[in-house]
Amino acid sequence: MNIVTKAVAAELSDRARRAAKVAGEFADAVDREGRFPREGMDALKNERLMSIQVPGELGGEGASMQEIAEVCAILGQACASTAMTYAMHQIQVASIVGYSGNSAWHADFLKRLCDEQVLIASATSEAGIGGNLRNSVCAIEVDGDTVRLEKDATVISYGEMADAILITSRAHKDAPPSDQVSTLFLKGQYTLEHTRDWDTLGMRGTCSDGYIFRGEAPKEQILPRPFAEIAAESMLAVSHLLWGALWYGIAADAVNRAQSFVRAAARRQPGSTPPGALRLAEASSLLQQVKGNVVAGLRQFEEAKTDANKLSAMSFAVAMNNVKVGTSQTILTIINHCMLINGIMGYKNGTPYSLGRHLRDAHSAQLMISNDRILGNTSTMLLVHKQDTSLIG
């Protein structure tokens, strides 16, 4: 990384920390009330962080996935719901930036994203297929230059707060479930009929309620590339990497709280090793493993992103799946260690060492896309593909 790039990355990190400071002040209230993290998201918009992935020629900053992941990790240390909302928004931006081709409409939308810092939601889950995003029941209807779509979406995270929704469907009424397209509908072009509440253990601020989506828009708002390509080459990898980064952030804050607890204990008893010190060292080691897992995945993505063959290769899919599974499992072990270190002060809410929110938010990691589903896909690929064992790529 050259000096100029380092300076840009540092400036982005500074902006992210300012937004995270605001988000962190309201994190407990967002969790307790199960409400949208308005303050944190407004701070991200004020720092103009919603559009950093958009290319410079369209008004953005052309940020790399590594830089976006760093923003997610910083936010994850402050408020997991804010971090997850931001990550999901950036996953949709990646699909539009990478797969809108020469579409003038989508280019204009990306300029609007930069000007107005709009928030984009996603609707892939559907009644009848659950979280299997590579299949759809609903089909988009094309009538001349107009498209219409109705979808029973079991989850649309922050749907009512979004300015636009990128939604999947079958390409037409006679298409098989896996022949899908993505269409970007703007607020005012759709209605949401609330059907399911989001009253959950953790990640409560993502407000991932269910809705009947009904939309009508110009045909040009359909992304020109098939969703199969978007999912295989971008969406799944970007999801695993950005989610992994924010999950790392949650665990990192837990370790920081445990370290503060051990230091306080050491000050009270000079000359003796606090009982939690060895467990803290173990948690630190596990946290480094998570960091290495995410960083390696990000580097592999950056190296492959300009080569469609690499992005669609089984070895790449296996690597990205392993980032997700490994990270989501290990952070729970880390936070459990930290809970044991902090004891009752970690178990109680409202202390500087509280970890209940961290633990509850972290439990979502194995469920967003289910680890069992991912492991099933990975096992199938490993039947026909040799595991990559090289340390140099």
Side-chain angles (χ1 to χ4, degrees):
M1 186 181 288
N2 61 40
I3 294 175
V4 174
T5 305
K6 284 184 177 179
V8 170
E11 193 263 345
L12 280 175
S13 295
D14 288 343
R15 288 154 61 190
R17 289 190 184 94
R18 289 196 293 267
K21 185 176 185 297
V22 175
E25 292 172 0
F26 296 91
D28 287 335
V30 165
D31 174 65
R32 183 173 58 252
E33 300 165 20
R35 67 170 178 84
F36 183 68
R38 177 73 61 191
E39 298 85 359
M41 295 309 299
D42 284 346
L44 287 165
K45 292 179 180 182
N46 290 338
E47 294 290 346
R48 299 191 61 78
L49 288 165
M50 306 298 285
S51 57
I52 58 173
Q53 189 178 171
V54 177
E57 60 268 24
L58 296 177
E61 300 174 52
S64 69
M65 200 54 59
Q66 292 170 314
E67 291 166 334
I68 297 165
E70 176 68 2
V71 175
C72 291
I74 291 169
L75 292 172
Q77 295 175 61
C79 173
S81 289
T82 303
M84 181 57 72
T85 300
Y86 182 76
M88 289 191 285
H89 164 82
Q90 291 296 342
I91 294 163
Q92 309 321 306
V93 176
S95 295
I96 300 167
V97 168
Y99 296 87
S100 57
N102 296 319
S103 168
W105 187 92
H106 290 95
D108 286 341
F109 173 79
L110 290 172
K111 292 176 184 177
R112 178 187 166 190
L113 168 58
C114 297
D115 292 339
E116 302 177 20
Q117 297 295 292
V118 301
L119 175 62
I120 310 171
S122 168
T124 55
S125 300
E126 186 175 4
I129 54 100
N132 184 3
L133 81 165
R134 283 296 292 111
N135 283 280
S136 291
V137 175
C138 66
I140 199 153
E141 174 191 346
V142 179
D143 181 8
D145 293 330
T146 301
V147 294
R148 299 181 185 88
L149 180 64
E150 179 172 324
K151 179 170 185 170
D152 185 356
T154 52
V155 170
I156 303 181
S157 296
Y158 55 92
E160 294 183 13
M161 282 63 70
D163 301 297
I165 297 177
L166 190 61
I167 188 166
T168 54
S169 66
R170 288 185 293 139
H172 51 84
K173 66 181 180 63
D174 297 319
S178 61
D179 182 5
Q180 298 165 286
V181 293
S182 276
T183 307
L184 185 62
F185 286 86
L186 307 180
K187 201 162 199 170
Q189 295 179 333
Y190 59 83
T191 61
L192 297 174
E193 179 187 338
H194 188 270
T195 56
R196 300 168 183 86
D197 290 324
W198 181 251
D199 185 7
T200 52
L201 184 70
M203 287 293 178
R204 293 171 55 76
T206 62
C207 300
S208 302
D209 294 344
Y211 302 92
I212 301 292
F213 173 99
R214 298 181 180 91
E216 180 175 313
K219 183 174 67 175
E220 60 188 344
Q221 293 178 210
I222 301 175
L223 284 175
R225 300 277 291 278
F227 180 69
E229 293 181 17
I230 299 172
E233 298 174 12
S234 174
M235 189 174 184
L236 288 173
V238 173
S239 296
H240 295 341
L241 294 170
L242 296 189
W243 290 347
L246 76 89
W247 294 332
Y248 165 76
I250 297 171
D253 189 60
V255 171
N256 286 339
R257 293 185 182 212
Q259 184 177 26
S260 296
F261 185 87
V262 171
R263 283 176 170 173
R267 286 194 295 270
R268 289 193 299 270
Q269 295 180 313
S272 63
T273 302
L278 294 181
R279 198 177 290 275
L280 175 64
E282 187 176 5
S284 175
S285 175
L286 291 171
L287 185 67
Q288 184 171 327
Q289 291 177 32
V290 171
K291 179 179 179 178
N293 193 23
V294 175
V295 169
L298 287 164
R299 287 176 178 165
Q300 187 169 354
F301 179 80
E302 292 293 345
E303 291 169 0
K305 68 179 183 180
T306 57
D307 187 334
N309 290 329
K310 288 183 178 180
L311 288 174
S312 59
M314 283 189 184
S315 58
F316 180 78
V318 169
M320 295 301 107
N321 285 353
N322 288 341
V323 169
K324 194 276 182 182
V325 172
T327 301
S328 63
Q329 291 177 343
T330 308
I331 61 168
L332 288 171
T333 303
I334 294 169
I335 300 170
N336 273 322
H337 275 33
C338 295
M339 183 74 79
L340 291 172
I341 294 166
N342 294 5
I344 196 67
M345 297 301 288
Y347 191 67
K348 289 176 63 177
N349 293 323
T351 82
Y353 312 111
S354 297
L355 292 171
R357 173 165 53 83
H358 299 66
L359 191 59
R360 288 184 289 102
D361 287 339
H363 269 286
S364 71
Q366 296 185 87
L367 308 177
M368 295 180 56
I369 307 164
S370 166
N371 276 9
D372 286 349
R373 186 190 298 275
I374 292 173
L375 288 169
N377 291 339
T378 300
S379 66
T380 300
M381 288 186 283
L382 289 174
L383 291 175
V384 296
H385 176 78
K386 185 178 179 181
Q387 177 74 38
D388 182 5
T389 57
S390 172
L391 289 177
I392 58 174

